[in-house]
């Protein structure tokens, strides 16, 4: 069984590394070309474009997602009547297929028949062609993506908040701390391990964004939403340049790995640890 | 003064504000679904009517029937259901066996192997997808369902399953096993008759997770499947966003139908699923 997993996870990993050092077409022989693919990536204008787009997506999505999830978790960890309904409403998009969500939002953004522009029209505003405008397409996709997955981080934050010992809140109250102070000096420090985990996971997830781009914009208009994984997919499975695509995939892997290691190092500095006193 | 120092945040104004804010956000979350359902019953010309029509007039149920005529929708549906069922059964079976081994059977290098497995979960899917494509092509399995069934069971999804099951088995006291061994039970009977019943909550969590993940899977079907007859729901639907042109009413009735099984699973298992997310801390 372990052999099976090795075969399906580690062996492809090695093969991908080798492929990234070759020109590997769909048909015909492949040749070992050393680091040529990586050199070409460095001077590939489109690579830098898609990398920039990927960073744009991540930098837009992660803070929005984390802040909104934290806010919702704070509101929903209170014992208010009917709280389950709200939790469910916010969690349902997490369950839904990303593709279905993206298709529905594509309709929401549609220039003539879309709900958003129809609502804007009721306020006397003529809405733009959201997904066909170079400056608006990426923000539109970001909003869709935040709403899709904010429930996931919210649930993790709720679980973390409920773990905070009640005695700490009582102590804070005795010290006369207000709501804001209590949040910044009790709740937030106590849940930093979860915040850390969700930030890392959300960043990594954002770097790998693909499905909603595929459905909503196909990387357009004029490459303004073309992200790294979309580019990898295009090179590998549309143009069948497996060597170059593998090298791109390894660049993605390197970025993910560096970020994970970096955040792991930083973690020691700012994540609350009960043992430290 | 005493009253102002009350512990809870729940002053009357605060509660109303909280409800308003939550209602607003919930509406933003739910409106796309309502718009989807509403559009699914519309006639093409009433999609464009202004102001927006929430309850279509005329109300056209026929869209739901036409979908099956326009695209091989029943095939997408059947493929999605049977692949999800096979993947769930396979994952739970293999993951519980391996999870038991990693939790309870001491063997050489157990922890090292387990760590390697866990670190393999970090590998971006996009890296292994390219060699997998060539591998499957070599085997002649492109445009069959075999990659869509085998890769989740033995790939990252399987590793996640082992992890979940191991966490459950590890909490079982060793004395229980030792007692069973004294009574003459062999390893397999211990696994089947003692361990599995205890791990039922874990199996349930894993079942829901695997089903949802698999039902929503998009990248692999996109790579491995070419024929319409073999497509799963997410892939089939995504291909028709442009091909049907602006026939949103059909696309929406198809997406409504594609979402129903997920919602049923969700509402049946809601508590367990949300707890499961919180417990394991990750979804994919």
């Amino acid at each position: 069984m372990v052999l099976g997993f090795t075969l399906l996870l580690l062996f492809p990993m090695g093969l991908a590394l080798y492929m990234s050092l070759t020109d590997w077409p769909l048909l015909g022989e492949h040749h070992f070309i050393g680091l040529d693919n990586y050199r070409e990536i460095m001077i590939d204008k489109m690579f830098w474009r898609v990398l920039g787009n990927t960073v744009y997506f991540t930098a837009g999505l992660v803070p929005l997602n984390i802040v909104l999830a934290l806010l919702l978790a704070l509101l929903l960890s209170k014992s208010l009547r009917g709280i389950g309904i709200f939790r469910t409403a916010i969690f349902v998009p997490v369950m839904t297929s990303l593709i279905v969500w993206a298709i529905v939002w594509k309709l929401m953004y549609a220039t003539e028949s879309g709900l958003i522009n129809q609502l804007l029209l009721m306020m006397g505003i003529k809405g733009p062609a959201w997904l066909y405008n170079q400056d608006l397409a990426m923000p539109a996709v970001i909003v869709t993506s935040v709403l899709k997955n904010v429930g996931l981080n919210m649930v993790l934050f709720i679980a973390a908040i409920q773990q905070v010992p009640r005695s700490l809140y009582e102590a804070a109250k005795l010290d006369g701390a207000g709501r804001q102070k209590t949040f910044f000096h009790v709740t937030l420090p106590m849940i930093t391990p979860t915040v850390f985990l969700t930030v890392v996971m959300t960043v990594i997830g954002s770097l790998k964004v693909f499905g909603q781009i595929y459905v909503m914009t196909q990387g357009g208009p004029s490459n303004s939403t073309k992200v790294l994984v979309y580019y990898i997919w295009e090179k590998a499975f549309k143009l069948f340049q497996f060597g170059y695509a593998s090298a791109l995939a390894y660049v993605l892997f390197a970025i993910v790995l560096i970020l994970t290691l970096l955040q792991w190092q930083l973690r020691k500095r700012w994540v609350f640890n009960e043992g430290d006193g | 003064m005493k009253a102002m120092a009350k512990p809870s945040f729940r002053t009357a104004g605060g509660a109303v504000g909280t409800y308003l804010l939550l209602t607003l956000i919930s509406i933003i979350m739910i409106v796309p679904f309502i718009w989807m359902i509403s559009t699914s019953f519309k006639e093409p010309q009433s999609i464009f009517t202004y102001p927006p029509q929430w309850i279509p007039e005329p109300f056209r149920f026929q869209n739901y029937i036409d979908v099956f005529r326009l695209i091989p929708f029943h095939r997408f549906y059947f493929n999605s259901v049977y692949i999800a069922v096979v993947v769930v059964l396979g994952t739970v079976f293999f993951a519980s066996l391996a999870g038991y081994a990693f939790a309870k059977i001491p063997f050489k290098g157990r922890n090292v192997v387990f760590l390697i497995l866990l670190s393999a979960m970090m590998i971006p899917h996009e890296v292994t997808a390219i060699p997998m494509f060539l591998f499957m092509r070599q085997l002649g399995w492109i445009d069959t369902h075999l990659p869509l069934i085998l890769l989740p069971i033995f790939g990252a999804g399987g590793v996640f399953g082992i992890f979940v099951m191991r966490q459950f088995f590890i909490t079982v006291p060793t004395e229980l096993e030792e007692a069973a061994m004294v009574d003459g039970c062999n390893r397999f009977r211990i696994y089947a008759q003692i361990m599995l019943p205890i791990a039922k909550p874990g199996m349930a969590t894993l079942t829901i997770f695997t089903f949802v993940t698999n039902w929503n899977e998009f990248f692999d079907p996109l790579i491995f499947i070419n024929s319409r007859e073999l497509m799963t729901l997410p892939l089939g639907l995504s291909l028709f966003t442009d091909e049907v042109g602006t026939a949103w009413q059909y696309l929406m009735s198809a997406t409504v139908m594609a979402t129903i099984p997920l919602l049923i699973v969700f509402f049946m298992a809601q508590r367990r699923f949300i707890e499961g997310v919180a417990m394991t801390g990750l979804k994919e």
Side-chain angles (χ1 to χ4, degrees):
Chain A
M1 194 170 304
V2 169
L3 189 78
F5 287 109
T6 317
L7 206 68
L8 285 167
L9 289 169
L10 299 180
F11 170 70
M13 216 34 211
L15 182 56
L17 184 61
Y18 172 72
M19 289 175 76
S20 76
L21 304 173
T22 66
D23 64 335
W24 196 305
L26 180 65
L27 303 168
E29 294 284 299
H30 65 268
H31 309 278
F32 187 81
I33 54 169
L35 291 174
D36 279 6
N37 283 327
Y38 292 95
R39 263 184 230 117
E40 200 178 320
I41 287 175
M42 289 303 122
I43 54 165
D44 179 357
K45 283 212 180 77
M46 187 53 81
F47 167 75
W48 292 105
R49 181 87 198 269
V50 300
L51 190 66
N53 290 340
T54 311
V55 171
Y56 180 12
F57 179 85
T58 307
L61 180 128
V62 176
L64 271 178
N65 186 324
I66 299 291
V67 170
L68 188 60
L70 201 52
L71 179 78
L72 286 169
L74 283 175
L75 294 175
L76 287 173
S77 55
K78 297 181 196 175
S79 46
L80 287 178
R81 197 180 289 267
I83 212 91
I85 298 171
F86 295 117
R87 278 194 203 180
T88 306
I90 292 159
F91 200 76
V92 161
V94 176
M95 291 278 303
T96 316
S97 150
L98 176 65
I99 300 309
V100 163
W101 185 252
I103 290 173
V104 174
W105 271 90
K106 199 178 170 187
L107 171 65
M108 300 270 293
Y109 283 126
T111 317
E112 302 292 334
S113 50
L115 180 65
I116 293 172
N117 279 357
Q118 292 205 13
L119 292 178
L120 283 177
L121 202 59
M122 287 172 86
M123 292 182 273
I125 305 165
K126 193 180 175 334
W130 297 96
L131 296 175
Y132 299 94
N133 180 312
Q134 280 191 51
D135 299 321
L136 293 172
M138 189 60 107
V141 176
I142 290 174
V143 167
T144 303
S145 312
V146 169
L147 294 177
K148 168 76 172 71
N149 274 326
V150 72
L152 189 65
N153 286 342
M154 175 193 78
V155 168
L156 297 175
F157 286 145
I158 290 177
I161 288 171
Q162 285 172 347
Q163 299 280 315
V164 179
R166 303 246 63 87
S167 59
L168 288 180
Y169 288 115
E170 279 153 28
K173 195 186 26 171
L174 282 179
D175 291 346
R179 254 166 87 169
Q180 269 189 3
K181 258 205 164 137
T182 311
F183 173 71
F184 283 107
H185 289 98
V186 179
T187 313
L188 193 58
M190 288 302 288
I191 64 170
T192 39
T194 307
V195 175
F196 162 75
L197 180 78
T198 45
V199 169
V200 175
M201 299 277 300
T202 311
V203 167
I204 292 176
S206 306
L207 293 174
K208 302 202 278 182
V209 54
F210 177 76
Q212 55 270 59
I213 300 284
Y214 181 91
V215 169
M216 294 175 76
T217 64
Q218 297 268 327
S222 45
N223 298 324
S224 61
T225 60
K226 195 183 269 187
V227 289
L228 190 47
V229 173
Y230 193 90
Y231 193 47
I232 294 172
W233 170 79
E234 204 175 58
K235 284 284 180 193
F237 302 107
K238 262 177 108 175
L239 304 169
F240 300 112
Q241 299 174 15
F242 294 118
Y244 194 70
S246 294
L248 284 169
Y250 254 90
V251 171
L252 173 70
F253 181 45
I255 297 173
V256 169
L257 199 65
I258 289 168
L259 270 172
T260 310
L261 295 176
L262 193 75
Q263 303 213 43
W264 192 254
Q265 285 302 312
L266 288 175
R267 179 180 202 252
K268 290 173 191 148
R269 291 212 191 154
W270 61 278
V271 173
F272 174 80
N273 187 333
E274 250 178 300
D276 288 350
Chain B
M1 288 305 278
K2 277 254 166 74
M4 277 187 69
K6 261 193 123 183
S8 109
F9 302 146
R10 270 182 287 146
T11 52
V16 171
T18 305
Y19 275 124
L20 277 179
L21 193 59
L22 285 175
T23 308
L24 181 72
I25 296 171
S26 301
I27 287 174
I28 297 175
M29 293 296 191
I30 295 301
V31 154
F33 292 107
I34 297 173
W35 193 240
M36 162 173 93
I37 295 168
S38 166
T39 308
S40 73
F41 290 108
K42 284 178 183 172
E43 287 195 315
Q45 56 271 29
S46 63
I47 297 176
F48 295 91
T49 48
Y50 172 84
Q53 232 177 35
W54 292 98
I55 297 165
E57 183 63 50
F59 197 83
R60 211 177 124 80
F61 186 75
Q62 187 66 26
N63 289 342
Y64 280 78
I65 294 154
D66 289 347
V67 166
F68 290 90
R69 214 168 29 76
L70 285 161
I71 58 179
F73 190 66
H74 58 290
R75 299 292 318 183
F76 300 166
Y77 225 101
F78 174 77
N79 295 336
S80 267
V81 170
Y82 106 80
I83 289 175
V85 169
V86 173
V87 168
V88 165
L89 291 177
T91 304
V92 172
F93 177 69
F94 285 110
S96 65
L97 269 179
Y100 173 62
F102 278 114
K104 289 294 174 190
I105 305 177
F107 59 89
K108 220 177 154 196
R110 183 174 77 171
N111 292 336
V112 177
V113 174
F114 189 65
L115 268 178
I116 293 177
L117 277 188
L118 280 190
S119 61
M121 263 166 66
M122 262 193 49
I123 300 170
H125 183 64
E126 296 71 24
V127 180
T128 51
I130 298 169
M132 269 309 150
F133 177 81
L134 294 180
F135 189 44
M136 294 295 163
R137 199 163 141 263
Q138 208 74 44
L139 293 169
W141 289 356
I142 296 296
D143 212 21
T144 73
H145 284 150
L146 284 168
L148 305 187
I149 290 170
L150 294 175
L151 290 183
I153 297 179
F154 295 103
V159 175
F160 172 74
I162 294 180
F163 178 70
V164 170
M165 295 311 292
R166 176 181 173 270
Q167 297 313 99
F168 269 88
F169 288 128
I170 229 163
T171 59
V172 180
T174 322
E175 294 83 57
L176 202 63
E177 272 188 292
E178 281 162 1
M181 278 195 184
V182 171
D183 289 348
C185 278
N186 61 20
R187 276 278 177 214
F188 191 75
R189 272 193 69 183
I190 293 176
Y191 158 79
Q193 294 188 341
I194 298 175
M195 294 310 234
L196 279 191
I198 291 173
K200 261 185 193 158
M203 289 162 72
T205 309
L206 185 58
T207 299
I208 301 162
F209 264 71
T210 310
F211 181 84
V212 172
T213 311
N214 198 265
W215 189 263
N216 293 337
E217 175 58 44
F218 177 67
F219 196 79
D220 280 359
L222 180 67
I223 296 174
F224 293 118
I225 302 298
N226 304 318
S227 323
R228 288 191 177 205
E229 284 65 38
L230 293 177
M231 284 178 184
T232 55
L233 281 167
L235 180 60
L237 294 179
S238 82
L239 286 194
F240 285 95
T241 52
D242 286 323
E243 280 188 41
V244 189
T246 43
W248 286 107
Q249 71 280 17
Y250 297 126
L251 195 57
M252 288 302 121
S253 38
T255 53
V256 169
M257 288 188 272
T259 308
I260 288 171
L262 265 189
L263 292 184
I264 293 173
V265 169
F266 179 66
F267 284 111
M268 272 180 2
Q270 183 201 12
R271 180 154 301 205
R272 184 160 276 160
F273 184 70
I274 295 187
E275 272 168 12
V277 169
M279 183 189 74
T280 49
L282 52 127
K283 187 164 168 262
E284 282 156 304

